[in-house]
Amino acid sequence: MKAGLLQMYPLTPQMEAELQKRFRVHRWYEISDKQAFLQAERGAIKAIVTGGHLGVSHELAAALPNLEIVAINGVGFDKVDLHQARARGFRVTNTPDVLTEDVADLAIGLSIAVLRQLVRADNYVRSGQWKSGEMPLSNKASRRRYGIYGLGRIGKAIAIRLEAFNADIAYCGRGKQPDVAYEYHSSPLSLARACDVLIVAAAATPETRHVIDRGVLEALGTNGVLVNISRGSLVDEKALVDVLTSGGLRGAALDVFENEPHVPQELIGMQNVVLAPHIGAATHETRGEMATLVLANLDAHFAGTELPTPVV
C-alpha cells in the first residue's frame, strides 16, 4: 500500500502526477474538515510536500505521529520547526541552488524597474499620457552603490550580475568572507549609509526578523532604494510604509511581504514602489528543476539512501 503524503499547496501538473505515482496524495488545501481528516488518516501520513513560503505548522506536524519527511519545494525553511524535526526524528529537505539564478535575475530586474520607473513608463504609454508630453526623468541603474544584505548563494549571484553594471558593491552578513573582495560592513545600518540601493537577500531567521528597521531605512536616505527578494519578515513593513510616505526613500521594489498574499494598501498606491507576487523562482525551467529535486529527496528517503539536499 502506498504511503500517505500531504500536499500543502497546488503544484505543477507534472509534479502532481509524479507524486500520485508514488503516494496516496491528500491535498491539504482542499480538505474542508481538517480535524476529521486527521482523525482518519493521521497515522498513514508519512510525507509532506510544502513550499518555503508556507512550511508546516508545529501543530500539524505534531498531529502526524508517523511523519518521516517534510520536502520543501523552495530554499527557505524558516516556516518549519527544525527543533521539532530533530526531536521527532523526521527529515527536512529543500531545493537550494536550482533557483539561485532566477532569484538573482529578479533582484536585478526589480532594481532596474524601480530606478528607471518601468511600471510607471508602461502605464504612461497605455494611458495616453505620452501624447501630452514626455514622462519625468528617472535614475541610472549603472555605476551606483549597491549594498547586499546576505552574501550567500543568491547574494553572490546578484553581485556577479551587478559587476556588469560597473557597480560599487558592498555587503553585510554573518561575518567578513575571506575570499570576497567586496567592501564588508558589520551591520545593516552601516551598509545602508554606504549604498544607494540596498538589496535584501538573507535567510529568514529569528535573528533577521525586522533587521531592516526604521533606522536602516532612514540611513538609506531620500535618494535610496530598497529591494527585497528574500522574505517579508526581514523588513519592518510598517516602518517602510512610514518612511516611503514621508519621502524618506526614493523608492522600493518588493517581491515578498510580511503577510502574503496581503500587501499594505499604502504600498499599492505608491508610484515609486514596484510590487511582485513572490515570483523569485517562478519560471517554468526552475520549477521543473525544483520538482525534480523534491522527488529525488522523497525517493532517496523511502529507499533508505542519502538525501540529495537535507536541511536536517
Side-chain angles (χ1 to χ4, degrees):
M1 185 177 179
K2 294 179 181 178
L5 179 144
L6 207 56
Q7 178 184 329
M8 299 301 292
Y9 74 118
L11 301 165
T12 63
Q14 296 84 354
M15 186 175 182
E16 292 197 1
E18 290 298 323
L19 289 174
Q20 292 282 357
K21 292 177 185 178
R22 294 164 169 79
F23 303 96
R24 288 191 303 116
V25 177
H26 305 276
R27 296 183 176 90
W28 181 249
Y29 55 95
E30 292 181 351
I31 297 170
S32 56
D33 191 339
K34 290 179 168 51
Q35 288 304 316
F37 168 81
L38 289 174
Q39 287 180 358
E41 298 287 345
R42 62 196 300 266
I45 301 299
K46 294 188 175 183
I48 293 176
V49 171
T50 187
H53 62 299
L54 289 175
V56 178
S57 71
H58 180 98
E59 293 74 20
L60 177 56
L64 304 173
N66 297 318
L67 179 64
E68 296 182 14
I69 183 170
V70 174
I72 301 171
N73 187 39
V75 68
F77 47 81
D78 52 293
K79 295 191 176 181
V80 177
D81 187 338
L82 301 185
H83 296 293
Q84 180 188 36
R86 293 186 183 98
R88 286 269 309 279
F90 64 82
R91 306 302 303 273
V92 179
T93 64
N94 65 346
T95 60
D97 295 322
V98 295
L99 49 68
T100 296
E101 292 180 339
D102 277 349
V103 178
D105 289 348
L106 184 66
I108 300 302
L110 288 174
S111 299
I112 296 172
V114 67
L115 287 166
R116 296 303 308 272
Q117 300 183 41
L118 295 186
V119 175
R120 184 179 180 187
D122 179 87
N123 182 65
Y124 204 81
V125 175
R126 293 177 188 275
S127 65
Q129 295 178 74
W130 193 15
K131 297 173 184 177
S132 301
E134 293 188 358
M135 185 178 132
L137 300 179
S138 60
N139 296 98
K140 287 179 67 69
S142 297
R143 298 202 303 274
R144 300 196 78 89
R145 301 178 305 161
Y146 286 84
I148 303 173
Y149 179 73
L151 202 72
R153 295 183 185 93
I154 293 172
K156 287 177 179 174
I158 293 169
I160 289 170
R161 285 154 174 75
L162 286 173
E163 288 178 4
F165 287 77
N166 295 315
D168 181 5
I169 302 167
Y171 75 100
C172 174
R174 294 173 183 170
K176 182 177 174 60
Q177 300 187 31
D179 58 340
V180 171
Y182 310 129
E183 180 181 288
Y184 172 71
H185 290 262
S186 61
S187 72
L189 184 64
S190 173
L191 181 65
R193 288 172 177 155
C195 68
D196 305 311
V197 181
L198 177 59
I199 300 177
V200 184
T205 66
E207 293 74 29
T208 60
R209 176 173 171 76
H210 286 187
V211 68
I212 309 301
D213 58 16
R214 185 180 302 273
V216 172
L217 296 169
E218 290 176 346
L220 192 52
T222 56
N223 290 319
V225 168
L226 177 74
V227 178
N228 189 6
I229 46 79
S230 59
R231 282 287 189 267
S233 64
L234 275 75
V235 176
D236 183 338
E237 208 165 76
K238 183 180 184 305
L240 176 61
V241 168
D242 291 344
V243 174
L244 282 166
T245 300
S246 66
L249 280 177
R250 183 177 295 278
L254 311 168
D255 185 46
V256 288
F257 305 89
E258 285 205 72
N259 187 28
E260 296 175 4
H262 305 288
V263 178
Q265 191 61 42
E266 297 93 333
L267 293 177
I268 293 173
M270 294 178 182
Q271 285 195 337
N272 60 336
V273 176
V274 177
L275 307 172
H278 203 148
I279 57 170
T283 66
H284 293 292
E285 297 84 357
T286 289
R287 287 292 168 85
E289 292 184 55
M290 290 167 64
T292 298
L293 193 47
V294 167
L295 293 168
N297 277 300
L298 290 169
D299 289 344
H301 172 75
F302 287 102
T305 58
E306 185 177 352
L307 299 176
T309 53
V311 177
V312 298

